[in-house]
Amino acid sequence: MLYAILGRDTPNSLDRRLAVRPAHLERLNALLAEGRLILAGPLPVIDSPDPGPAGFQGSLVVAEFAALEDARAWADADPYVAAGVYLAVEVYPFRKVLPA
């Protein structure tokens, strides 16, 4: 089943985010290689694809996992969690409708 993972950034965490980004991307690329990643990306603080020093307010990942508990465990093990980038992480079952 698909799950939406929403990580909400701690204020002023851009430097920490940038420092651990390679490890974060490594995990996402592993999901991609397994054919389980639907989409992933950051949520800029401002209305710009490159927010510069304004940074990000969080991230969204939609990926396939065997169960909700597996999605939560994967999200909780993210380097952004360990580094204190994410203030909170929410995981929801997700039903893709479009595109078919």
Side-chain angles (χ1 to χ4, degrees):
M1 180 161 178
L2 296 179
Y3 295 90
I5 300 168
L6 180 60
R8 299 188 186 274
D9 282 18
T10 301
N12 303 310
S13 61
L14 181 59
D15 289 340
R16 283 177 277 161
R17 175 183 267 271
L18 295 175
V20 297
R21 186 171 186 262
H24 172 76
L25 291 177
E26 185 177 325
R27 296 179 80 236
L28 290 169
N29 279 315
L31 285 178
L32 181 63
E34 295 168 6
R36 297 171 42 207
L37 182 65
I38 304 303
L39 65 88
L43 306 170
V45 169
I46 60 174
D47 190 12
S48 172
D50 181 5
F56 301 93
Q57 57 189 322
S59 302
L60 173 65
V61 174
V62 177
E64 183 178 350
F65 293 92
L68 180 59
E69 296 79 21
D70 297 326
R72 284 189 178 138
W74 186 89
D76 289 343
D78 194 284
Y80 284 173
V81 172
V85 174
Y86 287 159
L87 177 66
V89 178
E90 301 167 63
V91 181
Y92 303 99
F94 181 80
R95 183 174 155 220
K96 181 181 173 191
V97 175
L98 294 172

